[in-house]
Amino acid sequence: MDKFRMVLDFCLSHQKVLGYGAVSLLTAGSERIFSVVVFKCPCNSWNLLYGSVFLLVPALILFLLGLLLSARGWKVLTGCCAPGRLSRGSRGGRTCRYLRVLWLVVVGAAVAPLTWIAVALLGGHFYECAASGNAAMQRYLCRGKEIQCLKEMLQVPCGASSLQEAQDMLMSLRAQSQVMGWILISGVTILALISTCISRCRSPVSILHLAFWKTYMAKEQELFEIKAKEHAVKLAERNLKCFFESTELEPFQTPSTRSWQTISSLFAFNPGEREHYYSMIHKYVSSKNKNGSIKSAEGDMFPSCLGFVDAAVGTDTEVL
């Protein structure tokens, strides 16, 4: 039991890295299945389009799915264009904050498509097919050779070319593909390392405080879902009882629309506050006004290392 708890704690503390790792593994496995089972280079004038579609279109689909399943993105977009919200959303630099959050959403959604492209380039099949149909690549590989080379290039990925240099051309295309794949992987890794270092260096809280914060958010979200379901059940029971039994409607306290909007807004950290708030719910119950709103204070900041606070949305609302 203790070992299971240790594994569970490890997964909770590294859920972001494990999530990205799982997405990358699933994407890599899917690419291998596509390249072996589905992909068949036509070896004709369709080579360029066919290879490019298999290389890029699945990446685009994965990117759009990543945007669709992003809880943080929907937290920003839901209700942002509602009447009366546009003017409030543009004050106090909130528009810039929204753009920053949406940028983080785009970066997170790019993990799966970049993995697809990198694995596909390392495999080489899609690039070999697409490059063999590209006129510039044909001229490059056939420079100094007979005109027949240009006509036979389309057959190189299928091994049906009569050219003596066909195998060398295929190896050259595969080498180009794999080199680009490793360049892409190394570039993304370096950018991720640099951005993580900058984010952590600019963190207003210590690493232990950050670990406690993440634990609090996980527990708050878990309890929020339980309490929300209990509250919804009680409200439904009261309404149905009143309907079927024709009884008087009993008073029932439930959060107002303004209160829901307040706790759904983006989190701002203020190091000058006497009490540190760990979520919008915590901030709301501690410092709300009579009208149920929270005013922005001087010194509010939005460190990227605290982006997990805005990403905390119920599991039932993540998939629309």
Side-chain angles (χ1 to χ4, degrees):
M1 189 67 180
D2 293 337
K3 292 183 178 180
F4 175 77
R5 184 169 297 175
M6 290 175 59
V7 173
L8 182 60
D9 292 339
F10 177 82
C11 293
L12 289 175
S13 59
H14 298 85
Q15 56 182 342
K16 184 176 181 179
V17 176
L18 292 175
Y20 284 152
V23 170
S24 299
L25 288 176
L26 289 174
T27 304
S30 301
E31 190 280 333
R32 297 311 302 163
I33 294 175
F34 266 74
S35 62
V36 173
V37 179
V38 180
F39 181 78
K40 301 294 181 183
C41 187
C43 293
N44 53 32
S45 58
W46 282 81
N47 279 19
L48 177 59
L49 179 61
Y50 188 82
S52 300
V53 165
F54 270 82
L55 180 64
L56 300 177
V57 171
L60 175 62
I61 294 174
L62 289 172
F63 178 71
L64 296 178
L65 286 176
L67 295 178
L68 181 65
L69 299 177
S70 173
R72 186 185 301 175
W74 290 119
K75 187 172 185 178
V76 173
L77 293 177
T78 301
C80 67
C81 297
R85 294 287 301 275
L86 292 175
S87 59
R88 295 200 303 268
S90 60
R91 294 184 304 183
R94 291 183 182 179
T95 301
C96 294
R97 170 57 176 161
Y98 288 165
L99 293 177
R100 287 180 59 187
V101 172
L102 290 177
W103 166 249
L104 295 176
V105 171
V106 170
V107 171
V111 173
L114 288 176
T115 301
W116 175 277
I117 294 176
V119 174
L121 289 174
L122 291 178
H125 299 295
F126 302 157
Y127 178 82
E128 292 168 7
C129 184
S132 65
N134 181 268
M137 185 60 65
Q138 290 175 352
R139 290 192 297 269
Y140 170 74
L141 293 176
C142 293
R143 66 185 186 278
K145 298 182 177 65
E146 299 177 358
I147 193 66
Q148 184 66 19
C149 176
L150 294 175
K151 299 178 180 180
E152 293 285 340
M153 268 294 296
L154 295 175
Q155 302 296 324
V156 169
C158 298
S161 176
S162 60
L163 296 173
Q164 295 180 354
E165 304 89 351
Q167 190 62 29
D168 294 336
M169 292 179 177
L170 187 62
M171 294 300 294
S172 178
L173 292 175
R174 182 162 300 180
Q176 294 174 16
S177 179
Q178 292 176 343
V179 167
M180 287 190 291
W182 282 116
I183 291 175
L184 176 61
I185 293 174
S186 59
V188 171
T189 304
I190 292 172
L191 289 176
L193 176 61
I194 292 175
S195 61
T196 301
C197 290
I198 294 176
S199 173
R200 289 305 180 95
C201 289
R202 294 172 58 86
S203 173
V205 297
S206 66
I207 188 170
L208 293 180
H209 194 178
L210 197 61
F212 168 79
W213 203 323
K214 291 180 179 180
T215 302
Y216 169 83
M217 287 303 305
K219 291 299 181 182
E220 183 190 78
Q221 191 58 39
E222 178 183 346
L223 293 175
F224 175 84
E225 294 178 3
I226 295 174
K227 293 294 184 181
K229 291 178 181 178
E230 292 178 352
H231 196 80
V233 168
K234 291 179 181 179
L235 179 60
E237 289 177 346
R238 187 205 68 161
N239 294 338
L240 292 174
K241 180 180 179 181
C242 178
F243 175 76
F244 285 107
E245 299 179 7
S246 298
T247 58
E248 291 293 332
L249 192 65
E250 301 174 359
F252 191 90
Q253 183 65 33
T254 190
S256 64
T257 301
R258 185 65 178 272
S259 299
W260 285 111
Q261 290 176 350
T262 301
I263 67 170
S264 299
S265 59
L266 296 176
F267 178 80
F269 178 78
N270 194 322
E273 292 174 331
R274 294 182 179 180
E275 180 183 0
H276 284 174
Y277 304 116
Y278 294 104
S279 68
M280 288 306 298
I281 293 180
H282 185 191
K283 195 171 186 178
Y284 172 79
V285 299
S286 302
S287 58
K288 66 178 179 179
N289 297 325
K290 292 182 179 180
N291 61 355
S293 63
I294 300 175
K295 292 185 177 180
S296 299
E298 184 178 355
D300 282 352
M301 55 188 302
F302 308 96
S304 57
C305 64
L306 299 181
F308 62 90
V309 180
D310 291 326
V313 180
T315 55
D316 292 338
T317 63
E318 290 181 8
V319 181
L320 303 182

